[in-house]
């Protein structure tokens, strides 16, 4: 045997042994990894990781893979390879253009949906026509398809009845609300709960404090009804609708009296304070800014406090619902001069104004 053959054989044997040692190590490492993962847990791989393993598995073949303790079965590895080949020859998703009409742009979709929501009596053709006026070309069929996708019903159903906000907006000037709130005060005989009755003119947010009592029975309620519907002094004279909840204190006799005076009482659904949100917001203000910060002894102190707060609420408090303005600002307030602070109820209610030089 030639010496160089012997040398080549020795080098080949050494390389094969070194390669076998590495393979044995990797097989043992895989076996330990399988034990740590457990047979019941799935090992999730990304698409790129599957491609790499599938490419190597194809070269080894099913027989070779069975001799190895792989993390995945030979069938799984070879299936990945078949899917990779099928995806390579799939040209269905490589089309550069779609059949049919082009999709509406996001801007057009936004305009169509806005027009439909803000105008519940508009049909598909009218919405499409309005879009043309705004510089957008869209068909009535596209409008119909878009509204169907967003669950917006066609006109006969969509415009059948107005939403609650639309109802309030269209009747704001002739709309009023009424509700009770309670406060506990101390008396000579202990703690007592007083019921305070307030009315509100929705358009102006003007509040009317119509009395307080321990027992708001029907007799007391009828006295209030006579007062607020008085032709000369009652503020309900110009109000056509009065929102009230289903409190039993608003009796049938009370409601019929209001209706006979020209004000239609509308009873709200049960447990729906949001339907009377304006007066509920007032209750939150008077309680957090005033009533919950004081301890009352006797009916007189409570009545005086409420009346002072209502005056402050009208003349000095700004209201977000009125563009952050006041309901009854003092006339001819100076806009120059020294800034002065005035307060009521021991500093609980403060307001600032300028003093004329």
């Amino acid at each position: 045997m030639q010496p160089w053959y012997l040398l080549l054989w020795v080098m080949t044997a050494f390389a094969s042994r070194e390669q076998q040692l590495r393979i044995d190590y990797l097989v043992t490492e895989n076996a330990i990894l399988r034990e740590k993962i457990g047979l019941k847990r799935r090992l999730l791989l990304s698409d790129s990781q599957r491609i790499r393993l599938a490419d190597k598995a194809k070269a080894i073949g099913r027989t070779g893979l069975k001799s190895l303790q792989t993390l995945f079965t030979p069938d799984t590895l070879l299936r990945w390879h078949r899917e990779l080949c099928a995806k390579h020859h799939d040209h269905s998703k490589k089309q550069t253009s779609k059949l049919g009409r082009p999709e509406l742009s996001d801007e057009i979709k936004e305009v169509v949906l806005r027009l439909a929501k803000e105008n519940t009596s508009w049909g598909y053709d009218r919405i499409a026509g309005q879009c043309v006026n705004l510089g957008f070309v869209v068909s009535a069929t596209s409008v119909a398809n878009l509204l169907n996708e967003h669950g917006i019903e066609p006109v006969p159903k969509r415009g059948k009845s107005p939403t609650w906000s639309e109802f309030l907006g269209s009747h704001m000037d002739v709309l009023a609300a009424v509700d009770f709130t309670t406060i506990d005060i101390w008396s000579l005989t202990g703690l007592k709960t007083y019921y305070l009755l307030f009315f509100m003119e929705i358009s102006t947010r003007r509040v009317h404090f119509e009395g307080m009592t321990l027992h708001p029975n029907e007799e007391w309620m009828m006295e209030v009804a006579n007062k607020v519907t008085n032709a000369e002094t009652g503020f309900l004279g110009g109000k056509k609708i009065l929102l009230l909840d289903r409190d039993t204190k608003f009796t049938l006799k009370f409601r019929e009296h209001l209706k006979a005076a020209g004000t239609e009482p509308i009873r709200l659904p049960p447990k729906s304070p949001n339907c009377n949100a304006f007066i509920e917001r007032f209750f939150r203000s008077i309680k957090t800014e005033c009533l919950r910060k004081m301890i009352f002894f006797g009916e007189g102190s409570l009545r005086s406090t409420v009346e002072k707060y209502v005056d402050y609420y009208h003349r000095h408090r700004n209201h977000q619902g009125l563009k952050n303005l006041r309901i009854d600002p003092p006339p001819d307030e100076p806009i120059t001069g020294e800034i002065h602070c005035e307060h009521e109820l021991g500093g609980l209610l403060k307001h600032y104004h300028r003093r004329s030089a």
Side-chain angles (χ1 to χ4, degrees):
M1 180 181 294
Q2 296 295 331
W4 64 274
Y5 282 131
L6 179 61
L7 179 60
L8 181 60
W9 180 81
V10 171
M11 292 178 62
T12 302
F14 178 79
S16 297
R17 183 173 181 276
E18 182 72 16
Q19 187 179 31
Q20 186 60 45
L21 290 174
R22 293 182 180 183
I23 292 174
D24 290 341
Y25 171 79
L26 293 176
V27 169
T28 303
E29 188 178 53
N30 270 6
I32 294 173
L33 185 58
R34 284 170 59 90
E35 294 172 2
K36 296 293 289 183
I37 294 177
L39 297 178
K40 295 183 179 181
R41 293 180 57 186
R42 291 186 59 191
L43 186 62
L44 302 179
L45 301 183
S46 64
D47 289 340
S48 62
Q49 291 170 335
R50 291 195 183 102
I51 292 173
R52 287 156 52 194
L53 279 179
D55 185 56
K56 300 298 182 183
K58 178 61 179 176
I60 297 175
R62 180 178 281 103
T63 303
L65 290 171
K66 287 182 178 180
S67 64
L68 302 176
Q69 289 185 325
T70 59
L71 292 175
F72 307 94
T73 65
D75 289 336
T76 299
L77 293 169
L78 295 176
R79 176 172 58 81
W80 288 348
H81 184 268
R82 291 193 301 271
E83 292 174 354
L84 174 63
C85 294
K87 185 180 295 185
H88 177 72
H89 295 285
D90 183 10
H91 301 286
S92 61
K93 297 182 180 179
K94 298 181 180 180
Q95 296 180 351
T96 57
S97 62
K98 294 183 179 180
L99 300 177
R101 295 180 178 178
E103 186 178 358
L104 297 178
S105 66
D106 292 339
E107 185 179 9
I108 294 179
K109 290 180 180 179
E110 183 179 351
V111 171
V112 170
L113 293 174
R114 176 181 175 181
L115 293 176
K117 292 176 180 178
E118 294 182 359
N119 304 276
T120 56
S121 63
W122 285 16
Y124 302 143
D125 290 311
R126 186 167 182 183
I127 293 175
Q130 185 64 50
C131 287
V132 173
N133 298 342
L134 297 174
F136 301 110
V137 178
V138 58
S139 68
T141 302
S142 297
V143 171
N145 294 335
L146 179 62
L147 297 187
N148 288 334
E149 290 176 5
H150 287 77
I152 300 178
E153 297 177 323
V155 167
K157 295 181 180 179
R158 176 159 47 96
K160 188 173 182 180
S161 60
T163 63
W164 185 247
S165 59
E166 290 173 340
F167 171 80
L168 293 180
S170 60
H171 296 84
M172 189 73 74
D173 293 336
V174 295
L175 195 61
V178 61
D179 204 355
F180 281 94
T181 189
T182 60
I183 187 71
D184 294 328
I185 68 173
W186 289 98
S187 67
L188 295 177
T189 57
L191 199 61
K192 293 184 178 181
T193 300
Y194 271 80
Y195 293 83
L196 283 66
L197 182 62
F198 292 90
F199 288 78
M200 174 182 280
E201 301 176 43
I202 300 300
S203 60
T204 63
R205 306 298 197 274
R206 188 183 306 278
V207 173
H208 299 266
F209 174 48
E210 295 300 340
M212 50 188 288
T213 180
L214 289 170
H215 308 288
N217 51 32
E218 188 172 67
E219 181 181 358
W220 187 83
M221 293 297 297
M222 291 308 299
E223 291 179 2
V224 172
N226 289 325
K227 179 180 177 182
V228 297
T229 58
N230 184 280
E232 297 180 357
T233 60
F235 82 94
L236 280 182
K239 305 302 176 184
K240 302 300 182 183
I241 299 172
L242 179 66
L243 302 179
L244 47 83
D245 58 27
R246 295 179 178 267
D247 194 326
T248 56
K249 292 185 283 293
F250 300 123
T251 63
L252 177 61
K253 187 177 180 181
F254 173 81
R255 301 196 305 271
E256 288 179 343
H257 182 89
L258 295 178
K259 191 172 184 178
T263 301
E264 179 71 26
I266 295 183
R267 302 179 73 191
L268 302 175
K271 299 180 180 180
S272 57
N274 289 339
C275 291
N276 211 1
F278 297 103
I279 199 166
E280 292 289 347
R281 183 61 181 86
F282 166 74
F283 287 157
R284 174 184 167 188
S285 298
I286 191 174
K287 288 181 178 180
T288 57
E289 297 174 11
C290 179
L291 298 182
R292 290 176 180 170
K293 296 182 178 181
M294 300 180 66
I295 300 175
F296 298 99
F297 297 91
E299 179 180 340
S301 63
L302 175 59
R303 184 182 299 275
S304 174
T305 298
V306 172
E307 290 174 349
K308 288 181 180 178
Y309 181 83
V310 170
D311 179 71
Y312 166 82
Y313 183 84
H314 290 156
R315 299 177 60 217
H316 304 296
R317 192 183 188 280
N318 298 79
H319 301 274
Q320 295 181 9
L322 300 176
K323 299 180 180 180
N324 214 27
L325 300 176
R326 292 171 290 180
I327 297 174
D328 286 327
D332 301 326
E333 275 191 309
I335 58 175
T336 60
E338 181 184 358
I339 297 176
H340 180 67
C341 174
E342 292 188 5
H343 53 81
E344 298 278 355
L345 303 177
L348 280 181
L349 307 178
K350 295 180 181 179
H351 65 274
Y352 297 82
H353 63 93
R354 291 184 181 272
R355 284 181 172 175
S356 301

